[in-house]
Amino acid sequence: MKRRTAFLALIIIFLIVFLVRFLISMQTDAFSYDAYFVIRQVENINVHGIPLFQDSLSYSGRVHLFPPVFFYLLSLFSFLGVSLAAKLIPNLFASSLVFAVYLISFHITKSRQISLMTSFFSGFIPIFFSTLNDVSVYSLTVPLTFFLVYYLMKAEKEKAYGMAIFLMVLLVLTHSSTFFLIIGLLIFLILMKVESLEVSRFDKEFILFSSLLALWFNFIIYKKAFMLHGSFVLWQNIPLQILTNYFYDLNIIESIYYIGFLPIIFGLYGIYHVFFKQKRKPVFMLVSLFSSSLILLWLKVIEFDVGLTFMAVTTVLIAGYSIKLAYSYFKKTKINHAAEWFLAAIFILFILTSVIPSLSIGFNSLKNSPSEADIAALNWLEYNTDNSSVILARLEEGFMINQLANRKNVIDKDFLLVKDAQQIYEDVQSSFSLRLKTEALRRLNKYEVDYIYFSGNFGSEEQIYYLGETCFPMVYNESIKIYEVLCSIE
């Protein structure tokens, strides 16, 4: 296949992936619950020029810690309208993963045909389709990580040192998920040593530089969090109950579904081949990144869907290497025409086992967003309550309360620098299931709650038992219920 033909095919793959992601996300005007934190930061940059580090609404007043690059990038496209930019740009970033995967695959296989197939596979990783309405920073960091991996692979031969260093600096400034790559590179050094393979001087210096840069920058950003939470900052101060639930429903079948059946089968064979058949440095690097995601998932220092996304991309890349091995084998046999039939069969099976699940997960992800009833209720809160009002809602609805109702919440998903986060989480959870009025009032007064927002979207309660009395009149009665808190305990 000629280079120009491969380039045009790659552009078509990119457009297909982008348009599918974008069009699915446009099926609703709303965003996922977590996305409203990002949108709020972008809007604050548009007005004040800086993100909302000092937040008067989250936890009724607190400080946020994060690298701001992703928010500034989104704000550059705010001329399109914040909502449209938040739908368009993250999906554009996420779709660019197909370019990084093509480059890595071609570097390893030297086959444009196999590389295009691998690129298409990476565009329809089921777990990555769950982010298409999230306005997630991972839409940028995932492709950025694998562009960096490509330049690391080719740095020694083609003197791509500068681009590798630039991408690492950009990645460090964007998100702390840089440590996925750094841990993977450290594992890579160990594997190369064990297998008695040579590591270039640049690789060693780059890994040392990257490790020190990431540690230094993240210490500056999260210094206060380190001082307050100690080593628990690695788990982002997330309450133990939530950490425990991260993997509560995890099973092998679901993991295969989220990654894709074919990538796992061929990926496992590729890992076997590189250890016991033919030792190849680029494939060892991919195996090291696969191991890094496994370790981070096991330690629960990375969210399940994030860890699985990084694992899925590396699995797809290793699978591309395995497919090339099988294709080359068929080409050497007397039935060499079967090689093309083999690729065709793989492609059809992938559509059935990964593309269709990706579309299903993409549409299902839209359900993880506020309904029209939610938005109407939040508008009511904004126009019918005092600006200083504190709203009790579920953990998942915290960012939504801040952004759409412009009111203070009791809890949301950013736990860093929050003292007694575990106690706050327990109090909020129990506030929706308590039966004793006095105990409920004690907890509501503790957080100076003025209104209770009950959507019924999270938790198993169909009603709150202590409500409906004089102390808790219902002030909004639709599918969403809002109660005012009038009583207090002296």
Short mmCIF file of all heavy atoms in Angstrom, two decimals, residues 222-237 416:
data_model
loop_
_atom_site.label_atom_id
_atom_site.label_comp_id
_atom_site.label_asym_id
_atom_site.label_seq_id
_atom_site.Cartn_x
_atom_site.Cartn_y
_atom_site.Cartn_z
N TYR A 222 0.51 19.94 44.36
CA TYR A 222 -0.25 19.25 45.41
C TYR A 222 0.45 19.28 46.78
O TYR A 222 0.17 18.45 47.63
CB TYR A 222 -0.49 17.79 44.99
CG TYR A 222 -1.29 17.67 43.72
CD1 TYR A 222 -0.67 17.30 42.52
CD2 TYR A 222 -2.65 17.93 43.70
CE1 TYR A 222 -1.40 17.19 41.34
CE2 TYR A 222 -3.39 17.82 42.52
CZ TYR A 222 -2.75 17.45 41.35
OH TYR A 222 -3.49 17.36 40.20
N LYS A 223 1.33 20.26 46.98
CA LYS A 223 2.08 20.33 48.23
C LYS A 223 1.15 20.41 49.45
O LYS A 223 1.34 19.69 50.43
CB LYS A 223 3.01 21.54 48.23
CG LYS A 223 3.84 21.69 49.49
CD LYS A 223 4.86 22.81 49.36
CE LYS A 223 4.19 24.16 49.26
NZ LYS A 223 5.17 25.27 49.26
N LYS A 224 0.13 21.26 49.37
CA LYS A 224 -0.80 21.39 50.49
C LYS A 224 -1.53 20.07 50.75
O LYS A 224 -1.79 19.70 51.89
CB LYS A 224 -1.80 22.50 50.22
CG LYS A 224 -1.21 23.90 50.24
CD LYS A 224 -2.29 24.96 50.03
CE LYS A 224 -1.69 26.36 50.07
NZ LYS A 224 -2.73 27.40 49.84
N ALA A 225 -1.88 19.38 49.66
CA ALA A 225 -2.57 18.10 49.81
C ALA A 225 -1.66 17.06 50.46
O ALA A 225 -2.10 16.28 51.30
CB ALA A 225 -3.06 17.61 48.45
N PHE A 226 -0.37 17.05 50.06
CA PHE A 226 0.59 16.14 50.69
C PHE A 226 0.68 16.41 52.18
O PHE A 226 0.71 15.48 53.01
CB PHE A 226 1.98 16.29 50.06
CG PHE A 226 2.17 15.52 48.79
CD1 PHE A 226 2.29 16.16 47.57
CD2 PHE A 226 2.23 14.13 48.81
CE1 PHE A 226 2.47 15.45 46.39
CE2 PHE A 226 2.40 13.40 47.63
CZ PHE A 226 2.52 14.07 46.43
N MET A 227 0.73 17.66 52.56
CA MET A 227 0.87 18.03 53.97
C MET A 227 -0.38 17.67 54.76
O MET A 227 -0.30 17.28 55.93
CB MET A 227 1.16 19.53 54.08
CG MET A 227 2.50 19.93 53.48
SD MET A 227 2.78 21.72 53.48
CE MET A 227 2.86 22.04 55.24
N LEU A 228 -1.55 17.78 54.13
CA LEU A 228 -2.80 17.51 54.84
C LEU A 228 -3.14 16.03 54.87
O LEU A 228 -3.55 15.51 55.91
CB LEU A 228 -3.95 18.28 54.16
CG LEU A 228 -5.35 18.12 54.79
CD1 LEU A 228 -5.37 18.63 56.22
CD2 LEU A 228 -6.39 18.86 53.95
N HIS A 229 -2.96 15.34 53.75
CA HIS A 229 -3.41 13.94 53.65
C HIS A 229 -2.30 12.92 53.77
O HIS A 229 -2.58 11.73 53.93
CB HIS A 229 -4.14 13.72 52.32
CG HIS A 229 -5.23 14.70 52.05
ND1 HIS A 229 -6.28 14.90 52.92
CD2 HIS A 229 -5.45 15.54 50.99
CE1 HIS A 229 -7.10 15.82 52.41
NE2 HIS A 229 -6.62 16.22 51.25
N GLY A 230 -1.04 13.34 53.67
CA GLY A 230 0.06 12.38 53.70
C GLY A 230 0.03 11.47 52.49
O GLY A 230 -0.34 11.88 51.38
N SER A 231 0.37 10.22 52.68
CA SER A 231 0.43 9.27 51.58
C SER A 231 -0.94 8.99 50.97
O SER A 231 -1.05 8.54 49.82
CB SER A 231 1.05 7.94 52.04
OG SER A 231 0.26 7.36 53.07
N PHE A 232 -2.00 9.28 51.71
CA PHE A 232 -3.35 9.03 51.19
C PHE A 232 -3.68 9.94 50.01
O PHE A 232 -4.68 9.73 49.33
CB PHE A 232 -4.38 9.20 52.30
CG PHE A 232 -5.68 8.49 52.05
CD1 PHE A 232 -5.70 7.10 51.92
CD2 PHE A 232 -6.87 9.18 51.92
CE1 PHE A 232 -6.89 6.43 51.67
CE2 PHE A 232 -8.06 8.52 51.67
CZ PHE A 232 -8.07 7.14 51.55
N VAL A 233 -2.83 10.94 49.76
CA VAL A 233 -3.04 11.81 48.60
C VAL A 233 -2.94 11.01 47.30
O VAL A 233 -3.51 11.39 46.28
CB VAL A 233 -2.02 12.97 48.61
CG1 VAL A 233 -0.62 12.48 48.21
CG2 VAL A 233 -2.46 14.08 47.68
N LEU A 234 -2.21 9.88 47.33
CA LEU A 234 -2.12 9.02 46.15
C LEU A 234 -3.49 8.49 45.75
O LEU A 234 -3.74 8.21 44.58
CB LEU A 234 -1.17 7.84 46.41
CG LEU A 234 0.30 8.20 46.67
CD1 LEU A 234 1.08 6.95 47.04
CD2 LEU A 234 0.91 8.86 45.44
N TRP A 235 -4.38 8.37 46.72
CA TRP A 235 -5.75 7.91 46.46
C TRP A 235 -6.71 9.10 46.43
O TRP A 235 -7.91 8.92 46.53
CB TRP A 235 -6.18 6.90 47.51
CG TRP A 235 -5.47 5.59 47.36
CD1 TRP A 235 -5.87 4.51 46.63
CD2 TRP A 235 -4.20 5.22 47.93
NE1 TRP A 235 -4.96 3.50 46.71
CE2 TRP A 235 -3.91 3.90 47.50
CE3 TRP A 235 -3.28 5.86 48.76
CZ2 TRP A 235 -2.75 3.23 47.87
CZ3 TRP A 235 -2.12 5.21 49.12
CH2 TRP A 235 -1.86 3.90 48.69
N GLN A 236 -6.15 10.31 46.28
CA GLN A 236 -6.92 11.55 46.12
C GLN A 236 -7.87 11.82 47.27
O GLN A 236 -8.90 12.49 47.11
CB GLN A 236 -7.70 11.51 44.80
CG GLN A 236 -6.82 11.28 43.58
CD GLN A 236 -7.62 11.00 42.34
OE1 GLN A 236 -8.38 11.85 41.89
NE2 GLN A 236 -7.49 9.81 41.79
N ASN A 237 -7.53 11.27 48.45
CA ASN A 237 -8.35 11.46 49.65
C ASN A 237 -9.78 10.93 49.46
O ASN A 237 -10.72 11.38 50.13
CB ASN A 237 -8.40 12.95 50.03
CG ASN A 237 -8.93 13.17 51.45
OD1 ASN A 237 -8.65 12.39 52.35
ND2 ASN A 237 -9.70 14.23 51.63
N LEU A 416 -9.74 16.35 47.37
CA LEU A 416 -8.46 16.88 47.83
C LEU A 416 -8.65 18.16 48.65
O LEU A 416 -9.47 19.02 48.30
CB LEU A 416 -7.55 17.18 46.64
CG LEU A 416 -6.85 15.98 46.00
CD1 LEU A 416 -5.96 16.45 44.85
CD2 LEU A 416 -6.02 15.20 47.01
#
